[in-house]
Structures are given as structure tokens and as C-alpha cells.
Amino acid sequence: QQPVQSPQAVILREGEDAVINCSSSKALYSVHWYRQKHGEAPVFLMILLKGGEQKGHEKISASFNEKKQQSSLYLTASQLSYSGTYFCGTEKWSNQFYFGTGTSLTVIP
Amino acid sequence: SQTIHQWPATLVQPVGSPLSLECTVEGTSNPNLYWYRQAAGRGLQLLFYSVGIGQISSEVPQNLSASRPQDRQFILSSKKLLLSDSGFYLCAWSEVSPNSPLHFGNGTRLTVT
């Protein structure tokens, strides 16, 4: 029921790129991405709808392949501020919103 | 603009004591409301969600309950806390329309001793 994310954790140096994957065993109709800083609440980054549309947010973008029931988050030229835990999320059906297992991203100087 | 308030920020309670966490939303009407729990270093577990006053759906059978006495008020309760209830509790709201993002409160860090 819960989307699975990979990798579980990743450490990057500033300026490096990363990809976080989110896959579901059930059909995905939309995918949300959130970032949570340590000790804080998650913050919405972007939403992707059916159709494979790629969205962008600063140097963070994402894609959605509904046939494969997968979404990927791309972080390019990472900055220290990108550190945190990234969650994908999806609606089972209207109003039941589930988050993925999470990916811890640490950017070091 | 819409805001969400959640309190208290931190709470230390003994095993067997009751619990009441409150969340209110301002600046919107008839929002969807959610309670999530996050154990240390873990993901976000959906506990309850509500689409209207008095309408509560439970995701996980446990000793917690939720109520929505007013349109923009969501309360998480327990009659007797367990050690396993410790965690970071997050309230969130979204618009009723499909594919609306979730907006979170600042969370309550609960430690059951």
C-alpha cells in the first residue's frame, strides 16, 4: 500500500546530482513530492499528474510514468539546503493520502 | 492566506495517561484534515483523515481516536497512552479538490515514559 522509495539514504557533495525513485504496487494517478528538514514538518515541493508531465522547482524536477507506476525526483547541482528527507506521496483514492518510505539526502560541503 | 496551528509542540506523558492534541486551520472552509505519526527516523503513517464534521476514517487500529467537532478543528485523543505511542504527530490539511497538496502543522513531539 505504501509506495517504496530508493535509495533509502544518499550522501552528496555540493554540486553533485541525485535521483530518488518512488514506485508503487498499485496504480498511481498522481504523485506528490515533499521535503522534510530534521525536526520540522514536511513541505510540499510539487505534484505530477497522469500524462508523464515533468515538473520543476528550482533545480529540482520530477517525472511520472503511470504505466510503470513510478516517479523520480531529480536534484541537480545540489546545495546544502537540499539536505533533508524526501517523501513521495499518493492518493489511494480521494482523501486517503499515503507517503512513501522516505529517502534521506545529506549534502556535504 | 491559510494557516494551520497545532499544539502543544512537545509533550511528555506517563504510560496510561490520557492524550489530547489539537489542530485548527484558518482561512479555508471544509478542508480535508489528516493526522500522521512519524516514529524516530521513520516514515509518515496515516492515522486518521476527515472529509467533514463528524466524519472520521481510521487507518490503523490502535488506542488512538480522532474527532472533528468543528469544520476546521481536528483533535487526536487517547484514553491510555502506551510506550509505542511516542513519536512526532503531524496534523495536515488539504483542499477538497483532487490532487491538492497537503499543508502540515509544526507537529507535536510526544514522549511516553
Side-chain angles (χ1 to χ4, degrees):
Chain A
Q1 197 173 49
Q2 181 181 33
V4 177
Q5 292 180 229
S6 62
Q8 284 187 316
V10 59
I11 299 175
L12 300 173
R13 291 196 177 276
E14 268 187 297
E16 291 183 339
D17 303 340
V19 180
I20 299 172
N21 299 304
C22 171
S23 57
S24 173
S25 59
K26 299 185 182 297
L28 293 175
Y29 301 99
S30 67
V31 178
H32 298 215
W33 284 96
Y34 293 77
R35 177 171 62 205
Q36 183 180 29
K37 299 278 190 178
H38 183 69
E40 299 179 5
V43 174
F44 173 74
L45 292 176
M46 66 188 77
I47 181 173
L48 298 105
L49 306 178
K50 279 184 86 169
E53 182 182 0
Q54 190 156 347
K55 292 274 191 178
H57 179 80
E58 299 177 344
K59 293 181 181 177
I60 302 174
S61 61
S63 62
F64 176 32
N65 186 327
E66 64 264 26
K67 288 184 180 179
K68 292 185 176 181
Q69 297 170 182
Q70 292 177 345
S71 177
S72 295
L73 187 71
Y74 307 95
L75 300 99
T76 57
S78 58
Q79 305 168 14
L80 294 175
S81 62
Y82 287 2
S83 293
T85 301
Y86 290 78
F87 292 98
C88 64
T90 185
E91 291 177 85
K92 181 179 177 180
W93 46 68
S94 186
N95 307 315
Q96 286 180 285
F97 197 85
Y98 296 91
F99 286 92
T101 48
T103 296
S104 173
L105 180 80
T106 303
V107 181
I108 58 176
Chain B
S1 64
Q2 303 92 351
T3 55
I4 178 169
H5 302 279
Q6 185 181 343
W7 66 93
T10 58
L11 194 59
V12 180
Q13 292 284 99
V15 168
S17 63
L19 173 74
S20 181
L21 303 180
E22 190 163 342
C23 170
T24 59
V25 181
E26 296 177 357
T28 188
S29 296
N30 195 32
N32 293 329
L33 295 172
Y34 306 83
W35 279 111
Y36 287 88
R37 177 170 63 194
Q38 188 174 33
R42 306 294 296 275
L44 296 153
Q45 180 188 29
L46 178 62
L47 300 176
F48 301 95
Y49 67 96
S50 171
V51 300
I53 296 175
Q55 300 178 63
I56 311 293
S57 295
S58 173
E59 286 295 301
V60 183
Q62 55 207 342
N63 67 320
L64 299 173
S65 62
S67 62
R68 184 171 177 172
Q70 300 181 45
D71 181 44
R72 291 169 291 172
Q73 183 185 26
F74 207 21
I75 298 171
L76 182 70
S77 304
S78 174
K79 292 182 179 178
K80 288 186 178 181
L81 284 168
L82 306 172
L83 285 174
S84 57
D85 290 325
S86 293
F88 191 40
Y89 287 81
L90 289 155
C91 180
W93 74 272
S94 71
E95 298 284 359
V96 173
S97 54
N99 303 314
S100 296
L102 268 65
H103 305 280
F104 287 85
N106 290 330
T108 296
R109 192 161 303 281
L110 172 67
T111 303
V112 182
T113 59

